[in-house]
Amino acid sequence: MDNKRELKTLGWIVLLFLAAFFLPIESARFNTAIAATMDLVKWYAREHVVLCLLPAFFIAGVISVFVSQGSVLKYFGANAKKWIAYTVASVSGTILAVCSCTILPLFSSIHKRGAGLGPAIAFLYSGPAINILAIILTARILGFEMGVARTIGAVVFSVVIGLSMSFIYRKEERVKREQQMNIQNPPEKRPMWQTSFHFFTLVLILVFANWGAPTKEETTGVWYFIWSNKWLITSGFTLMLGYSLIKILKIKWQWVLGSGVLIAISAFISFTLIDNMKIAPLVPMLTGIVSLSVITLLDKRDQENREWTISSWGFAKQIIPLLAVGVITAGFLLGSTHDSTSIPGVIPNNWIERLVGGNSIFSNLFASIVGAFMYFATLTEVPILQGLIASGMGKGPALSLLLAGPSLSLPNMLVIREVIGTKKTAVYVALVIFMATISGLIYGSLF
């Protein structure tokens, strides 16, 4: 008998028993935290899994299978020119418009394909941070100077944090550079423009399917027009995806046409029978994802098409369980805040509000830490901050939270740890918190 293993098992049994024995079900705060956890889990499942994560897995699969390693190494590799690597990485958010969790499959994919640690980290930070939609919303609601500060801070952060990670782990990067110098890349299977067309079609579907609602006062303008017609726009890009599947991936047109008919029927039924406009789009999106999975898995003309879906499934298996743990933990500790809902976790919201007033080192540091561990969906950080500022939050801590929050979250950290390890994740999180704190102090002293 393995005594160490048996003692470990006994320890877990005792721990679970004590947790059950002393479960504080009579505590109102505990029960409210449980309600917040369930609310956040339900909201996350409805708002992000189908429309954000599943498309992101397929985009990551494209990088993993269709984008050659040579292309990844050219722009993100350890031997790539720094100005090219960090320029591409730092502006990626203007295209992707994703949250801290949706960026993870893409980060994992380029990391596995050989991207240097610095450019990969810059990409990881910039994806959610330089979301052009969120920056515009920040400027409109929180003030022009806050929007400008967020833009400058996010771009500078992505480059500085990436360079810092590359310098700290320079020995590992040196080894990676030496290894990549000897890689002989096979010729491209198809022209780069075809792969780019397929990739960006999926990206645009992701962006427009998740286009954020305008403010209540805004009933005209480009933002409102796109939001009002986002499903028609998304449908247009879905047709482009169908073209890509037939002409670029060479999947049988009959299969693609049949999938399109199924999606159209499911969309008609769901939008006709389901009154909730947040739930109705999930049915055709799921139908499309299932159809895409089936026709690529059954395709025998090109093995890469099957590998695309298998790779996407691999990212899903790796990431979804960790995100689930992170969302549950974040909901219990910090509560559920989204749309018009605000349910406190074990840590009451009013504690946070009282601790982020003024422009002290502590208030900026505390705002950075809270922002780093909370989960912010794309665009939701702006109305949340609007409420916190109205409750007395200082402008410096507000910027600190804006620069730390959207790019980090507890679920996000758990997945990053799985990809690059505990030490690198800790260093990355510490760098984000430190720079967000300093930026908040400077901004708060100026405004």
Side-chain angles (χ1 to χ4, degrees):
M1 184 173 69
D2 187 341
N3 292 333
K4 187 176 180 180
R5 182 178 179 181
E6 297 304 320
L7 285 172
K8 186 177 180 181
T9 302
L10 176 62
W12 276 110
I13 291 173
V14 171
L15 183 64
L16 290 172
F17 172 76
L18 291 174
F21 190 88
F22 292 105
L23 202 63
I25 56 174
E26 68 284 349
S27 167
R29 181 173 295 172
F30 176 82
N31 289 318
T32 302
I34 293 295
T37 304
M38 297 298 103
D39 180 79
L40 185 63
V41 169
K42 178 181 178 180
W43 174 77
Y44 190 89
R46 288 189 171 194
E47 298 283 338
H48 292 279
V49 174
V50 176
L51 296 181
C52 293
L53 277 179
L54 297 186
F57 291 139
F58 277 93
I59 295 171
V62 169
I63 298 173
S64 181
V65 175
F66 297 128
V67 177
S68 68
Q69 187 178 33
S71 297
V72 174
L73 296 181
K74 179 180 178 181
Y75 294 103
F76 290 102
N79 288 304
K81 293 181 179 178
K82 280 188 168 57
W83 73 268
I84 294 178
Y86 286 98
T87 299
V88 173
S90 64
V91 300
S92 60
T94 60
I95 299 171
L96 295 173
V98 294
C99 67
S100 63
C101 292
T102 310
I103 194 68
L104 295 172
L106 313 185
F107 165 70
S108 178
S109 185
I110 67 167
H111 185 267
K112 286 181 178 178
R113 298 291 276 174
L117 180 63
I121 289 293
F123 174 80
L124 173 66
Y125 179 84
S126 72
I130 315 176
N131 180 339
I132 190 66
L133 304 180
I135 287 173
I136 292 171
L137 192 64
T138 300
R140 285 164 51 202
I141 294 179
L142 302 180
F144 178 76
E145 71 278 359
M146 183 72 80
V148 172
R150 182 178 185 181
T151 305
I152 295 173
V155 173
V156 172
F157 271 35
S158 63
V159 175
V160 172
I161 291 172
L163 288 170
S164 299
M165 290 290 289
S166 182
F167 176 77
I168 293 169
Y169 294 98
R170 56 190 179 279
K171 291 183 179 179
E172 293 181 22
E173 291 299 286
R174 189 181 302 118
V175 172
K176 186 181 289 186
R177 280 195 297 272
E178 292 171 357
Q179 292 173 342
Q180 291 180 357
M181 287 180 65
N182 300 320
I183 292 177
Q184 297 295 323
N185 295 304
E188 299 279 355
K189 183 174 180 179
R190 59 178 60 88
M192 189 61 189
W193 73 264
Q194 292 186 351
T195 302
S196 299
F197 179 88
H198 188 66
F199 173 81
F200 283 110
T201 298
L202 289 166
V203 169
L204 290 169
I205 290 173
L206 172 66
V207 169
F208 286 100
N210 294 281
W211 194 274
T215 59
K216 293 181 180 179
E217 297 77 19
E218 187 173 4
T219 56
T220 58
V222 176
W223 189 304
Y224 179 81
F225 175 80
I226 294 176
W227 177 76
S228 301
N229 298 279
K230 71 176 187 176
W231 294 117
L232 288 175
I233 297 171
T234 304
S235 299
F237 288 117
T238 302
L239 292 175
M240 289 174 59
L241 177 61
Y243 170 84
S244 179
L245 293 173
I246 296 170
K247 292 296 184 179
I248 296 176
L249 301 193
K250 308 300 181 184
I251 294 175
K252 293 179 180 179
W253 68 267
Q254 297 93 331
W255 291 6
V256 178
L257 179 61
S259 299
V261 171
L262 284 176
I263 295 169
I265 292 172
S266 66
F268 176 78
I269 293 174
S270 62
F271 280 98
T272 302
L273 299 181
I274 301 175
D275 294 329
N276 190 332
M277 290 303 295
K278 288 188 175 182
I279 302 299
L282 302 185
V283 178
M285 181 65 82
L286 272 175
T287 303
I289 289 169
V290 171
S291 299
L292 178 60
S293 301
V294 170
I295 64 176
T296 49
L297 288 171
L298 294 179
D299 181 55
K300 294 182 180 178
R301 296 184 179 185
D302 192 334
Q303 185 63 25
E304 276 193 349
N305 295 336
R306 175 181 170 85
E307 290 175 6
W308 176 28
T309 299
I310 292 174
S311 176
S312 303
W313 168 238
F315 287 115
K317 286 192 298 181
Q318 177 192 28
I319 291 172
I320 286 180
L322 295 170
L323 289 182
V325 172
V327 169
I328 291 170
T329 306
F332 183 76
L333 294 177
L334 298 169
S336 177
T337 305
H338 58 87
D339 304 324
S340 57
T341 301
S342 181
I343 306 174
V346 168
I347 303 172
N349 289 345
N350 59 344
W351 288 13
I352 297 174
E353 292 171 359
R354 286 200 300 265
L355 290 168
V356 292
N359 191 49
S360 65
I361 294 177
F362 176 80
S363 62
N364 281 281
L365 177 61
F366 186 79
S368 300
I369 293 172
V370 169
F373 282 87
M374 283 185 72
Y375 173 74
F376 292 99
T378 307
L379 305 180
T380 60
E381 72 275 12
V382 177
I384 290 170
L385 265 176
Q386 189 179 22
L388 287 171
I389 290 172
S391 300
M393 185 181 202
K395 286 191 174 182
L399 181 65
S400 296
L401 192 146
L402 269 180
L403 292 173
S407 292
L408 283 174
S409 65
L410 182 58
N412 163 282
M413 294 177 199
L414 293 176
V415 177
I416 297 172
R417 174 183 173 275
E418 187 73 14
V419 177
I420 62 175
T422 303
K423 289 183 178 179
K424 290 188 180 74
T425 302
V427 173
Y428 169 60
V429 172
L431 285 170
V432 172
I433 290 174
F434 172 76
M435 292 192 65
T437 302
I438 298 300
S439 300
L441 278 169
I442 295 172
Y443 180 80
S445 65
L446 295 175
F447 297 96

